[in-house]
Amino acid sequence: MRRRNLIKGALAGLGGASLGFRLPLANAADYRGRLFVFVQADGGWDPTSFCDPKANTPGEPVINHWAERDEIRTAGRIAYAPFANNARFFTKYHRRMLVINGVDAQTNSHTVGIVHNWSGRNSEGYPSMGALLSAHYGPELPVTYLNFGGYAETGGVARYTRINNADRLRNIAAPELVPREPWHNSQRRYISDADWSALRSRQTSETARLVAARNVLPGDLWNRRLYQSSFLSAEGLKAYADAIPPEDELERTVQYETPAGNRYWSELRRQAQLAVLAFKTGVSVSADLWLGGFDTHSTHDPDHEWLLGNLADGVDFLWDYAEEHGVADRMLVVIGSDFARTNFYNSQDGKDHWPIGSYVVMEKNQPWTSRAVGETDGLHFAQKINPRTLERDDANGTIIYPKHVHKALRRYLGIENSPGARRFPFSNTEDFAFFG
């Protein structure tokens, strides 16, 4: 009983649903469409040291120490700060990159900023883009929407899955084996081949009987779908679990201690690895990757240097690993944060909260890449932009808000008129031609 309940509970955690969700009734290797990754730089990054670089303005407080000894650089038509690992990152990827600067989150609150930037709305209730995409393109896949941390509101249109332990996934995908433990070199049979075959035969016949039943009450119908999904989710997960390398071959957690004694850690590369393998085996449509620590109220430069460097390294690994496994040509990546950092340093040489941020959208072989749109002035204040020309237009333009980016992405990614998007519309919102 304990073993059976463990399996049922674990399946619910990985592929579970609540009323209103569609259940995972598909096997692995079904999805071969577009793939989506959203990289959440949690805590409020500093675009002025990344994709919206700012030199110091005479007569104003210092905005960036790097600007005291270096100049803004460019890769293609994108300006970047000579800071952290930016030069390598922008030089390598500017041809698949669109930078959207001057996006006003309208808040200095982390909670509101996270919701606003990742849902397009500055109050709770709207789903993330990953949820909408998964609901539209792969609602029945076993782990259609992966989330490794950060914002994952679904609005009831989909379900999300968190996988923090690859061995637990393997155990769920192969419930006939003894759960893998650190001291086991391999898994052993928990159920004999004969017993497992009998169980599978019983499951098949019982499912067939339930499907053939008529005049089923709503509650019984729901229980029947739960029964079906619990088996089929495990089936669909097997190819994914088999594709994940052993623990000692997975990317390791990276830890760093700054000169000031601040400690950071990152699992961004491992998250990217697990997401790519889910894409490769056809069990997922979208994934949220997460890196925390960007709330640098003290010792901003050394802390942000490591954080931005790790962020660039993680996204670089994501693309390289996706190339290695044959899914890079199908993948779109969006990078963003809660908001930004102030245009001056505080008394602890840190930077506080600032509402004007940026997004970076990446995709291969697209005509809208290798450019930056949106505009901020020398002190990082957002300027009005014409939605059609994408040029500064103080008379007829508008400030860019997260809703504009989300609305444009919905249209570009083909979900603007999906049932989920219609349930959560951006009414009376200008159409920005970010993608042509």
Side-chain angles (χ1 to χ4, degrees):
M1 288 293 294
R2 184 176 181 184
R3 170 68 171 168
R4 182 180 64 187
N5 291 337
L6 174 64
I7 294 171
K8 290 171 64 179
L11 282 170
L14 272 172
S18 54
L19 289 174
F21 289 5
R22 297 185 66 180
L23 292 172
L25 303 179
N27 289 332
D30 284 343
Y31 184 72
R32 289 295 176 263
R34 299 175 77 180
L35 304 163
F36 313 97
V37 180
F38 300 88
V39 185
Q40 302 185 29
D42 189 78
W45 67 355
D46 186 0
T48 72
S49 291
F50 190 57
C51 60
D52 192 8
K54 299 300 173 189
N56 296 321
T57 301
E60 297 289 345
V62 170
I63 188 171
N64 283 306
H65 289 315
W66 60 256
E68 297 171 331
R69 57 185 181 274
D70 211 334
E71 297 180 346
I72 294 171
R73 301 179 190 177
T74 59
R77 293 177 291 170
I78 298 175
Y80 68 88
F83 187 76
N85 295 334
N86 293 349
R88 180 180 181 276
F89 183 68
F90 283 91
T91 299
K92 182 175 180 179
Y93 289 109
H94 71 88
R95 291 182 181 86
R96 65 182 73 172
M97 183 183 296
L98 170 70
V99 175
I100 305 174
N101 289 322
V103 182
D104 188 354
Q106 299 178 288
T107 184
N108 287 333
S109 162
H110 288 296
T111 301
V112 178
I114 290 169
V115 171
H116 200 181
N117 276 284
W118 295 114
S119 75
R121 190 169 182 261
N122 61 5
S123 59
E124 294 182 354
Y126 267 42
S128 69
M129 186 68 67
L132 289 173
L133 289 162
S134 294
H136 182 69
Y137 286 113
E140 295 180 347
L141 296 181
V143 287
T144 183
Y145 176 24
L146 292 174
N147 175 272
F148 294 94
Y151 188 79
E153 174 62 50
T154 67
V157 303
R159 68 197 179 279
Y160 73 85
T161 300
R162 282 194 177 158
I163 298 175
N164 298 319
N165 186 309
D167 279 342
R168 289 181 182 174
L169 174 66
R170 296 187 186 96
N171 294 338
I172 292 166
E176 74 276 20
L177 302 179
V178 172
R180 189 187 303 272
E181 300 293 350
W183 53 87
H184 289 162
N185 293 324
S186 62
Q187 288 183 310
R188 307 186 308 277
R189 301 294 305 189
Y190 180 81
I191 301 172
S192 71
D193 287 335
D195 286 345
W196 185 242
S197 177
L199 285 169
R200 295 301 302 273
S201 176
R202 171 65 176 174
Q203 176 258 314
T204 301
S205 62
E206 184 67 8
T207 299
R209 183 188 67 79
L210 291 171
V211 169
R214 296 292 182 265
N215 302 319
V216 179
L217 294 174
D220 291 334
L221 178 64
W222 182 249
N223 289 333
R224 183 174 73 184
R225 295 184 68 194
L226 286 172
Y227 178 82
Q228 289 177 277
S229 71
S230 67
F231 284 97
L232 293 172
S233 288
E235 286 294 320
L237 287 171
K238 192 172 190 311
Y240 179 32
D242 289 346
I244 297 175
E247 180 68 24
D248 59 356
E249 295 180 21
L250 284 170
E251 292 294 314
R252 312 304 299 174
T253 299
V254 178
Q255 300 186 47
Y256 176 73
E257 183 172 341
T258 68
N262 296 326
R263 295 182 178 180
Y264 296 97
W265 58 270
S266 170
E267 293 185 337
L268 198 55
R269 289 169 67 104
R270 176 178 288 210
Q271 294 170 19
Q273 189 176 22
L274 293 173
V276 166
L277 294 175
F279 293 159
K280 179 183 179 180
T281 52
V283 298
S284 295
V285 170
S286 63
D288 296 326
L289 311 188
W290 182 90
L291 177 64
F294 284 88
D295 198 21
T296 50
H297 288 281
S298 62
T299 60
H300 171 273
D301 282 11
D303 293 17
H304 237 76
E305 183 174 21
W306 185 84
L307 289 162
L308 286 176
N310 189 269
L311 178 69
D313 174 73
V315 175
D316 180 34
F317 175 83
L318 169 68
W319 279 110
D320 285 348
Y321 201 67
E323 291 282 1
E324 179 184 341
H325 289 276
V327 299
D329 290 340
R330 299 159 53 201
M331 195 166 70
L332 177 136
V333 177
V334 179
I335 313 170
S337 189
D338 319 7
F339 37 63
R341 313 309 300 177
T342 48
N343 54 5
F344 58 89
Y345 293 86
N346 60 29
S347 60
Q348 295 178 299
D349 217 23
K351 292 185 179 183
D352 301 317
H353 299 174
W354 187 254
I356 311 303
S358 300
Y359 289 95
V360 177
V361 185
M362 303 177 72
E363 192 174 17
K364 294 181 65 178
N365 305 317
Q366 297 300 327
W368 44 263
T369 55
S370 194
R371 64 192 179 115
V373 299
E375 186 175 336
T376 57
D377 65 12
L379 295 179
H380 202 218
F381 285 90
Q383 305 300 299
K384 291 183 177 180
I385 303 299
N386 185 297
R388 182 176 59 83
T389 67
L390 301 181
E391 301 292 335
R392 180 172 173 176
D393 187 344
D394 294 337
N396 300 305
T398 179
I399 297 296
I400 300 173
Y401 299 108
K403 64 181 180 179
H404 293 121
V405 179
H406 280 257
K407 186 175 183 180
L409 279 169
R410 286 183 180 188
R411 175 170 295 177
Y412 175 65
L413 299 177
I415 61 169
E416 182 181 36
N417 295 313
S418 68
R422 288 199 302 269
R423 280 179 58 193
F424 301 96
F426 294 116
S427 303
N428 302 314
T429 299
E430 298 85 354
D431 292 310
F432 272 78
F434 296 129
F435 307 102

